[in-house]
Amino acid sequence: MIGSSKIIGAVEIGSSKVAVLVGEIVDGDSLNIIGLGESPSHGVKKGEIVDFKAASEATHDALARAEQASGASIDEAYLSQSGGHLRGFLNTATVNVSSSSSVVSESDLTRANQEAKAKQLQESRVYLHHIHNGYQLDGRSVGYPLGMDGSKLSLAYWSIHADTQKIKDHIHVVNAFGLKVDEVIVSGLASSITVTSEDERAQGVLVIDFGSGTTDYVLYQNAFVCASGSIPVGGDHITNDVSLGLRISRKQAESLKIEFGHCQVSPGDAGEKVWLIGDKMIGDRHLPKAAINQIIEARMSELLQLIKEELGEQWNPKLAPAGVIITGGASLLSGLGEMVEAVFEQSAHYGLAPSWVREDLTAPSYSTVLGLLHYALTGQTRYQARTQQRKSGLWNRMAKIFN
Amino acid sequence: MAKPKRKTRKGTAPSWRAIKQKRGKRAVTFTARLRKFKFFARFAGIGATVLGVIIVGLLCFYLIKTATDFFHLSGPPKPLGRVVMHTNGVLDEDWLKESFRPNKSTNLMDIDIRGLKKTLESSGQVRSAMIERQFPDALVVSLSEYQPVAKVAVRGKKKKTRIYLVSKEGAVYEGSNYPRATLEHLPYLDGVELKQTKRGFRPIGGMEVVSELLDLSRRSTPELYADWQVISLKNYSGDSAQVGATISIRTRSMGEIIFSPQDLQEQLDRLDYIVQYIKDERIRKVKRIDLTLEDQAAVQLAIQTNVRRR
């Protein structure tokens, strides 16, 4: 439709902040970022809503700011999801090729799809994603087997499921603003799409998104997602550890972490001291830098080891030549890259936002919301779904009078 | 990582999309309530604007329609100076004066335009009257009159016969100001049942077809038309599709001619041929010519009962 546009709101309800990025998708094939709204998060811990009212206040504030900044009402909401309740597993199905001539047909593909997606979950869990993980025909990997000869067709999905109630809480927070959630996307998937290229995903790459409440990871091999997870440990926990370890307030701990923190204790840290507040007035005191960094190193090392353990045998540095890409607000911690390289025995670098992103959105803390908009865009062109003509003309102009 | 159970039912794996979304049911926060309020206020505003536009539009329409009565001009009142009359018919100012005799001091603004229009249109001969004030002191009267195509004799209460005119719309009225020659050439109408109403007579049905027949005949066969005396609608109620509907015309020299209400020109062409044949063969007395027999015609002669088919 000429001139049709849809306003998408990418909503990330994080543990430290709520970010809403508003994008306009024009004619289903181009995206304009038209507004950003942010608000400090409340009522969210480790990516899960623990206080509905507080989380709603923060989220609605961010949504309202985003709509005001963009000058448009959001038509559809894309919501990110994170938290320790997310689980993923490889879901495979094998069917016999039905045709007597052993040629794979559409019905064989359909049966394999249905078989793969039909596996029941435990009570109170729902599927979020079924990510296609490739076909195999008689044991050999194939791109698209329709029309090929074979007797056994296998199909794999990386299926991600979550706790129903936790998903409901997130959705209802957005609903309470008057918006319908059109898509729920795992944060790790969204941010990995932003910071990796197609080539990197084809070669094999591990993406780690360090958030304040959770750390999400996604492993790509041969362009498919072959592992993903969410660990309920993030930058806030490091702050908490520093606060408890040094017996200072969380605010002071956060400040010290950002200013002086490093993921590894260096020999030079031994005798070095830092000021707690920095104004050298009453209440200010010296703290050993080494103590700060020891705490940080311990927690980060534990976190990275956890990720490695969860990946298990799936992690093979040789199968991820593109290395490890790190992103997220907590990834700005000094020395993190080196620690990641040491743990995963592979090169690590910071993920960069795409070149078309404006400068104020290139920070790693925006990679998730950018990924949500990217998903909205590619979802539009791929599936040509629900192109809704933005009301224009007299009706919309009249509406703007009262806006 | 907990593994899912094996499937128990095909195609029933739960997706997050099955979660019922409660959009807008209860605005939990002030921000959400404000957004909801703005949303409804926007549409209320649009609705009020649209309603306002409609009301203003209707008001303007009403004002334009009754403009002469609504707008009262200020300024010194002027007496009526002159009356200008336009018509497409035969009525003149003398006739107008019979219906409208204002005093010399009558103010232009005080003239009841609506009442005058009603009076003029009730005369019967006037189809429509348009009256305008032309400032500073003139009244312009524009008349559209009925054009007579036939006349009908009506016997009154005291057995007095009065002649009324009939227009192509079927209007029956007493004519005024028509030249004698015009009225003499009009054929009489017969076989119609006139129904009296408060304002005169109910319109006669089928006159459009009769008018067309007369018009065609006048143009294509004027010598035949001149011979026509009476048009009988005894077998014609106005419905041309009715079985057996005919229009009969009594002539001076050709007896009775019967037409079907359809294909008038074709019938006139056949009539012209027949009349020419009659003249060529010197047939003196023709009683009836029936043109309703499609491509044939029955000609009945007065002195013989033989039917000759043409």
Side-chain angles (χ1 to χ4, degrees):
Chain A
M1 241 180 281
I2 295 170
S4 67
S5 71
K6 202 191 316 194
I7 307 295
I8 305 289
V11 184
E12 181 190 9
I13 305 175
S15 303
S16 69
K17 76 171 191 321
V18 178
V20 177
L21 195 59
V22 182
E24 183 184 17
I25 293 179
V26 181
D27 291 337
D29 60 7
S30 68
L31 171 71
N32 299 322
I33 295 175
I34 58 175
L36 169 70
E38 285 181 291
S39 174
S41 180
H42 297 288
V44 180
K45 279 195 166 33
K46 300 180 187 179
E48 297 169 8
I49 291 173
V50 296
D51 182 341
F52 186 83
K53 184 107 196 296
S56 297
E57 295 273 3
T59 307
H60 295 177
D61 187 39
L63 282 163
R65 284 170 195 265
E67 282 192 329
Q68 195 175 16
S70 62
S73 286
I74 295 171
D75 296 325
E76 294 179 1
Y78 277 54
L79 180 62
S80 70
Q81 199 58 220
S82 186
H85 62 101
L86 297 175
R87 298 275 186 271
F89 67 97
L90 195 65
N91 207 348
T92 54
T94 303
V95 297
N96 293 324
V97 174
S98 56
S99 161
S100 54
S101 56
S102 299
V103 172
V104 176
S105 64
E106 282 280 0
S107 65
D108 296 324
L109 294 174
T110 305
R111 275 189 300 118
N113 259 302
Q114 284 174 350
E115 189 85 14
K117 291 181 180 176
K119 285 178 186 151
Q120 283 290 322
L121 296 171
Q122 290 169 348
E123 290 283 336
S124 75
R125 294 195 70 84
V126 287
Y127 280 115
L128 293 185
H129 298 288
H130 291 289
I131 304 166
H132 180 66
N133 227 256
Y135 293 98
Q136 284 199 341
L137 192 59
D138 294 336
R140 59 192 164 89
S141 295
V142 294
Y144 192 57
L146 182 67
M148 291 172 107
D149 281 345
S151 56
K152 276 201 176 338
L153 174 67
S154 295
L155 170 61
Y157 281 106
W158 179 257
S159 297
I160 302 176
H161 55 99
D163 185 283
T164 311
Q165 191 55 50
K166 292 182 170 73
I167 302 294
K168 263 190 196 175
D169 288 343
H170 274 81
I171 289 174
H172 291 161
V173 161
V174 177
N175 287 167
F177 190 70
L179 290 175
K180 184 176 171 278
V181 173
D182 276 89
E183 288 292 343
V184 173
I185 298 155
V186 168
S187 297
L189 285 178
S191 54
S192 65
I193 282 291
T194 306
V195 298
T196 57
S197 64
E198 261 189 67
D199 285 340
E200 286 170 330
R201 293 195 290 275
Q203 287 171 31
V205 66
L206 172 65
V207 180
I208 306 176
D209 182 348
F210 294 92
S212 62
T214 61
T215 299
D216 303 295
Y217 63 89
V218 177
L219 176 65
Y220 289 90
Q221 283 175 359
N222 300 317
F224 295 124
V225 173
C226 57
S228 70
S230 183
I231 294 170
V233 174
D236 271 357
H237 297 86
I238 299 170
T239 304
N240 207 39
D241 290 345
V242 171
S243 166
L244 290 171
L246 301 178
R247 291 186 207 137
I248 55 178
S249 71
R250 282 181 57 85
K251 195 176 168 186
Q252 289 165 342
E254 180 72 17
S255 173
L256 284 176
K257 181 188 82 174
I258 291 168
E259 198 174 345
F260 302 111
H262 198 279
C263 285
Q264 284 165 327
V265 181
S266 63
D269 291 340
E272 202 175 332
K273 289 189 188 301
V274 298
W275 287 100
L276 172 62
I277 300 167
D279 60 1
K280 299 170 190 171
M281 303 292 281
I282 294 171
D284 204 357
R285 57 188 164 101
H286 273 130
L287 289 168
K289 193 176 177 186
I292 299 168
N293 292 341
Q294 269 171 5
I295 295 168
I296 294 171
E297 184 183 5
R299 177 60 89 169
M300 286 311 296
S301 173
E302 181 193 42
L303 175 59
L304 294 174
Q305 289 296 339
L306 261 174
I307 296 171
K308 198 175 175 186
E309 275 170 29
E310 282 202 9
L311 285 169
E313 285 174 2
Q314 283 181 300
W315 173 249
N316 182 343
K318 289 177 188 168
L319 296 178
V324 183
I325 295 177
I326 53 180
T327 186
S331 68
L332 295 172
L333 197 56
S334 180
L336 180 60
E338 291 84 355
M339 180 174 259
V340 167
E341 282 181 351
V343 169
F344 290 95
E345 296 164 47
Q346 186 49 284
S347 64
H349 62 273
Y350 284 91
L352 297 171
S355 54
W356 51 265
V357 174
R358 64 187 206 218
E359 210 172 315
D360 59 335
L361 295 175
T362 53
S365 54
Y366 296 118
S367 55
T368 301
V369 287
L370 284 170
L372 292 176
L373 286 185
H374 176 91
Y375 197 98
L377 177 65
T378 53
Q380 291 280 335
T381 54
R382 191 179 301 156
Y383 302 113
Q384 293 180 347
R386 297 169 287 150
T387 314
Q388 179 185 338
Q389 189 171 12
R390 187 174 180 199
K391 294 183 191 72
S392 59
L394 180 63
W395 187 258
N396 202 36
R397 284 200 291 273
M398 286 177 75
K400 278 184 178 165
I401 295 169
F402 301 95
N403 208 343
Chain B
M1 203 186 308
K3 281 212 162 180
K5 285 182 186 172
R6 303 298 293 174
K7 65 169 179 173
T8 51
R9 274 185 306 159
K10 210 169 189 175
T12 58
S15 164
W16 72 270
R17 293 185 196 279
I19 293 171
K20 200 174 174 186
Q21 298 202 38
K22 300 175 184 176
R23 186 171 72 157
K25 282 214 167 156
R26 194 168 63 94
V28 172
T29 63
F30 171 75
T31 312
R33 281 195 287 273
L34 186 65
R35 186 180 189 262
K36 210 172 177 178
F37 171 76
K38 279 183 187 172
F39 179 80
F40 286 116
R42 206 180 305 154
F43 280 98
I46 292 169
T49 303
V50 169
L51 197 64
V53 166
I54 291 171
I55 290 172
V56 167
L58 288 172
L59 194 63
C60 287
F61 179 73
Y62 174 73
L63 290 176
I64 288 164
K65 218 168 157 26
T66 59
T68 52
D69 288 345
F70 189 81
F71 290 110
H72 297 286
L73 297 176
S74 60
K78 288 231 170 181
L80 177 65
R82 57 197 172 96
V83 177
V84 178
M85 181 175 154
H86 302 292
T87 181
N88 64 341
V90 298
L91 295 172
D92 56 14
E93 286 179 10
D94 291 331
W95 175 87
L96 181 64
K97 280 176 187 168
E98 287 173 22
S99 304
F100 177 57
R101 280 186 202 157
N103 294 330
K104 280 186 184 173
S105 59
T106 302
N107 202 313
L108 183 64
M109 291 308 297
D110 292 339
I111 294 170
D112 181 9
I113 301 274
R114 262 201 217 145
L116 178 58
K117 177 180 161 73
K118 208 173 171 182
T119 305
L120 294 176
E121 286 175 355
S122 67
S123 72
Q125 189 164 334
V126 174
R127 188 177 177 181
S128 67
M130 197 163 76
I131 301 155
E132 293 171 66
R133 290 188 182 92
Q134 200 172 74
F135 294 101
D137 62 350
L139 194 71
V140 178
V141 178
S142 303
L143 301 177
S144 172
E145 294 181 41
Y146 285 118
Q147 306 300 321
V149 296
K151 55 195 179 199
V152 62
V154 179
R155 189 168 283 192
K157 284 180 183 176
K158 292 179 182 176
K159 293 194 180 176
K160 202 175 175 184
T161 303
R162 290 180 84 167
I163 304 296
Y164 286 83
L165 300 177
V166 182
S167 73
K168 82 167 186 185
E169 296 88 358
V172 181
Y173 62 97
E174 281 189 86
S176 296
N177 271 34
Y178 285 107
R180 201 187 174 94
T182 304
L183 298 180
E184 276 176 0
H185 282 118
L186 291 175
Y188 274 96
L189 209 59
D190 189 23
V192 292
E193 193 184 346
L194 288 174
K195 289 181 182 165
Q196 194 108 33
T197 62
K198 279 182 191 173
R199 293 175 65 176
F201 295 99
R202 208 183 279 181
I204 296 171
M207 282 310 296
E208 281 201 20
V209 174
V210 172
S211 172
E212 189 189 350
L213 174 61
L214 295 173
D215 214 30
L216 284 171
S217 179
R218 199 182 310 120
R219 280 190 274 121
S220 59
T221 55
E223 59 279 10
L224 288 179
Y225 172 76
D227 198 35
W228 293 0
Q229 290 179 305
V230 179
I231 304 164
S232 175
L233 300 184
K234 194 168 68 173
N235 294 324
Y236 182 54
S237 61
D239 182 8
S240 299
Q242 191 181 355
V243 174
T246 56
I247 301 169
S248 344
I249 298 185
R250 285 204 293 278
T251 66
R252 287 193 189 87
S253 56
M254 288 290 154
E256 187 184 14
I257 302 171
I258 301 169
F259 286 89
S260 160
Q262 293 165 335
D263 302 321
L264 297 171
Q265 183 62 60
E266 187 268 330
Q267 291 175 85
L268 282 169
D269 292 340
R270 276 192 288 134
L271 178 65
D272 192 30
Y273 177 82
I274 292 167
V275 167
Q276 192 57 51
Y277 178 82
I278 288 170
K279 281 181 181 168
D280 290 345
E281 296 296 315
R282 294 184 188 173
I283 297 167
R284 288 186 188 170
K285 283 283 185 185
V286 175
K287 192 175 178 184
R288 186 195 300 148
I289 300 171
D290 188 350
L291 299 165
T292 64
L293 304 173
E294 293 193 18
D295 57 348
Q296 297 179 1
V299 180
Q300 188 177 3
L301 302 176
I303 52 171
Q304 292 175 20
T305 55
N306 295 342
V307 173
R308 292 169 108 181
R309 288 192 177 271
R310 277 277 157 209

